[in-house]
Amino acid sequence: RLHLVTWNVGTASPPPDVTSLLQLNSLGPTMDMYVIGLQEVNSRITNFLSDLAFDDPWSIFFMTVLSPLGYIKLSSVRMQGLLLLIFVKHIHLPFIRGIHTHYTRTGLYGYWGNKGGVSVRMSLYGHTICFMNCHLPAHMENTEQRLDDFEKILEMQFEGENIPSPLDHDVLFWFGDLNFRIADYGIHFVRESINNKRYSLLWEKDQLNMAKKTEAFLKEFREGPLQFKPTYKFDLYSDVYDTSEKKRKPAWTDRILWRLKNLCQNASKEGDFSEEEQTIAVTLNNYVSHMSYGISDHKPVTGTFSLELKPLLSVPLVMLNPEGEWSAEHDVITRYSAVPEFPSSAWDWIGLFKVTFRHVNDYVTYAWVEDDEISSDKDSKQVYMSAAEIPNTGGEFLLCYYSNNLQSIVGISEPFQIQPSRTPLEKDLAQEENSWMQKPDNLESRDES
């Protein structure tokens, strides 16, 4: 289950509560993945420079909300005001590989990042998925520019070998403030149609719907029915459309679309489909706006999807677990085993994380798999951690194996308890100081924020 959010936040700070936006109080099954695309995140130069060094307030906000619920920030990419965040449940981490990010500037002839797209791609249980958050040019008359810019964004290439282009992924999600407007009709007709909930009268004049009928590269994109009020433009903290002098005409600027790679491309010359190709299906369960959020002149839009996957990967590359009872009173041991084809590296490490960890660099301590190895046989290896590095206060933790070659977590243990120590609290403070002083260089470069 995937929950996708798009929201032009208009340089505002995060709201006090996003329970309804993320459907956290839903009675149904919990989400497996959250994909959050924001536009117009505060990108004044001082903010942007500080955000390059640290997580921006929106990333911190969503991590604070989601990490206690068992989600880790898998990846993020930012280009000025465009931000894309992906959170996933711990259980799926060993089956997500090949994570890459990219951004494409289209503002000011490609030299300025106030418009464009940010993308994250990955392999999920062996299936390729790409997420693309876009902010396209504004104003009624710029339809062609919007289409040209999106076509340019689609043509971008991720860095790395054998990574498919966006359109060659099994599933491509396209969303953001796409800025398409309602053509021809005047503002009074549009507003009257909205007041009477006669949205279907406006669909045929929606510029994106019209373009999908004529532009070949858009025809395979699907979208749910627009059965909610146009999400632009509102007075702040209200559900009243623009009362300023400009009186902007309402429009469905904020959209979520998806595209399944055409199975015809994989058909054999005889016209038969290979059953192996028909291994993924996407179902839209809910496509709604959220009128209660008023921090910007746009309302957020969410799409809740079911992805039915025939797993092409079903075994983690690495299995690991703690040996014996863990306590800060004594050195501890992790045992792990890897599949024969696993491309291990001297730079691989095993991290100890609290169960509510936020991202891959949020470890409590770590051990190098080669430097800290104490035994090895054909089936498994043992790695030790010093008692001095184990949290004094104990609690619930888990272990993750990080692959340097694959730049991702490839194994995760079940949660387990560490018994609290009877030694003084000063040990924890010294340990925290040492972990920052000794943090290896190659871990510094892995923080995608």
Side-chain angles (χ1 to χ4, degrees):
R1 287 172 58 82
L2 182 154
H3 190 68
L4 200 155
V5 177
T6 178
W7 193 3
N8 184 323
V9 297
T11 73
S13 298
D17 183 82
V18 286
T19 299
S20 62
L21 183 71
L22 301 181
Q23 294 192 356
L24 299 179
N25 52 5
S26 169
L27 298 177
T30 58
M31 302 299 164
D32 295 287
M33 181 180 289
Y34 283 97
V35 178
I36 300 167
L38 305 179
Q39 306 86 40
E40 292 194 25
V41 171
N42 193 336
S43 59
R44 288 196 298 265
I45 195 70
T46 51
N47 293 83
F48 186 59
L49 290 175
S50 67
D51 291 346
L52 288 176
F54 308 99
D55 276 317
D56 65 277
W58 280 93
S59 296
I60 294 170
F61 172 74
F62 281 113
M63 283 191 288
T64 302
V65 171
L66 289 171
S67 64
L69 304 176
Y71 297 90
I72 174 181
K73 188 187 78 173
L74 179 75
S75 184
S76 66
V77 57
R78 179 165 182 191
M79 180 183 71
Q80 285 181 227
L82 270 173
L83 176 64
L84 177 54
L85 300 165
I86 297 184
F87 294 86
V88 65
K89 275 188 172 178
H90 300 160
I91 192 174
H92 302 299
L93 287 173
F95 306 101
I96 300 176
R97 302 174 194 170
I99 304 165
H100 292 82
T101 63
H102 195 276
Y103 60 84
T104 306
R105 297 186 183 96
T106 59
L108 197 62
Y109 308 104
Y111 291 102
W112 190 239
N114 64 321
K115 294 289 191 291
V118 290
S119 306
V120 175
R121 64 86 54 196
M122 67 188 69
S123 164
L124 176 66
Y125 289 92
H127 300 274
T128 55
I129 298 182
C130 183
F131 299 98
M132 197 171 270
N133 173 26
C134 297
H135 194 183
L136 302 181
H139 307 305
M140 179 72 68
E141 65 275 11
N142 283 332
T143 305
E144 289 304 317
Q145 187 63 53
R146 286 188 273 276
L147 296 173
D148 289 346
D149 284 4
F150 180 52
E151 203 162 12
K152 177 185 176 183
I153 294 167
L154 281 175
E155 291 169 355
M156 70 84 173
Q157 294 290 328
F158 292 97
E159 293 183 12
E161 294 183 11
N162 303 318
I163 301 176
S165 67
L167 289 174
D168 282 329
H169 282 71
D170 296 326
V171 188
L172 170 61
F173 288 94
W174 172 38
F175 49 95
D177 179 359
L178 308 185
N179 255 320
F180 290 101
R181 308 303 171 101
I182 297 171
D184 298 342
Y185 297 139
I187 186 171
H188 297 295
F189 179 84
V190 171
R191 289 191 174 187
E192 193 63 26
S193 300
I194 294 169
N195 290 338
N196 293 319
K197 295 187 177 180
R198 300 178 72 184
Y199 305 135
S200 57
L201 291 176
L202 309 177
W203 292 344
E204 61 186 29
K205 295 298 181 181
D206 171 78
Q207 291 173 335
L208 179 53
N209 283 339
M210 290 192 290
K212 284 174 65 180
K213 295 175 182 176
T214 59
E215 300 290 338
F217 73 98
L218 290 181
K219 287 184 178 179
E220 292 178 341
F221 280 94
R222 301 179 61 189
E223 183 181 18
L226 297 167
Q227 294 176 339
F228 48 87
K229 293 171 68 170
T231 52
Y232 171 86
K233 168 181 169 98
F234 289 89
D235 292 344
L236 295 184
Y237 298 103
S238 80
D239 55 4
V240 176
Y241 284 108
D242 188 14
T243 59
S244 70
E245 289 183 8
K246 291 183 178 179
K247 285 193 167 54
R248 296 282 191 204
K249 187 164 63 171
W252 285 289
T253 56
D254 309 281
R255 312 283 279 270
I256 299 172
L257 298 92
W258 73 98
R259 176 187 182 273
L260 278 167
K261 191 167 70 174
N262 190 347
L263 289 178
C264 293
Q265 297 171 0
N266 304 312
S268 65
K269 291 180 181 178
E270 292 77 21
D272 296 326
F273 291 116
S274 164
E275 286 191 13
E276 286 299 309
E277 299 296 344
Q278 302 184 46
T279 55
I280 185 167
V282 178
T283 304
L284 176 66
N285 299 323
N286 204 13
Y287 188 35
V288 295
S289 65
H290 297 260
M291 293 294 291
S292 62
Y293 295 93
I295 60 172
S296 78
D297 53 3
H298 291 251
K299 301 298 182 185
V301 171
T302 60
T304 307
F305 295 87
S306 295
L307 270 63
E308 294 180 52
L309 305 171
K310 179 181 179 181
L312 305 178
L313 298 173
S314 56
V315 178
L317 291 173
V318 172
M319 300 283 287
L320 75 167
N321 52 68
E323 287 228 318
E325 182 182 271
W326 276 42
S327 162
E329 303 280 342
H330 53 77
D331 293 350
V332 293
I333 296 173
T334 299
R335 181 180 292 276
Y336 76 92
S337 59
V339 298
E341 65 271 21
F342 174 59
S344 62
S345 159
W347 295 102
D348 291 357
W349 51 276
I350 293 172
L352 177 68
F353 294 84
K354 293 181 178 178
V355 290
T356 56
F357 75 115
R358 297 180 171 206
H359 51 76
V360 70
N361 276 356
D362 197 18
Y363 51 83
V364 175
T365 187
Y366 62 89
W368 297 111
V369 296
E370 287 198 6
D371 290 355
D372 298 313
E373 182 182 304
I374 57 172
S375 76
S376 174
D377 58 43
K378 63 183 178 65
D379 295 321
S380 64
K381 297 182 179 184
Q382 288 182 320
V383 173
Y384 89 99
M385 290 181 184
S386 165
E389 297 171 348
I390 302 304
N392 209 36
T393 53
E396 192 174 22
F397 293 82
L398 45 77
L399 294 162
C400 294
Y401 186 110
Y402 187 90
S403 164
N404 186 63
N405 286 332
L406 299 178
Q407 292 285 293
S408 61
I409 290 172
V410 295
I412 186 168
S413 74
E414 293 290 328
F416 64 96
Q417 291 291 326
I418 294 180
Q419 299 304 314
S421 171
R422 293 185 294 274
T423 55
L425 189 62
E426 282 83 351
K427 173 188 160 186
D428 271 347
L429 299 176
Q431 168 202 328
E432 186 173 328
E433 184 177 334
N434 286 335
S435 71
W436 282 107
M437 291 173 64
Q438 299 172 6
K439 186 176 182 181
D441 292 340
N442 77 317
L443 297 196
E444 290 279 3
S445 65
R446 291 174 185 153
D447 190 352
E448 294 166 322
S449 301

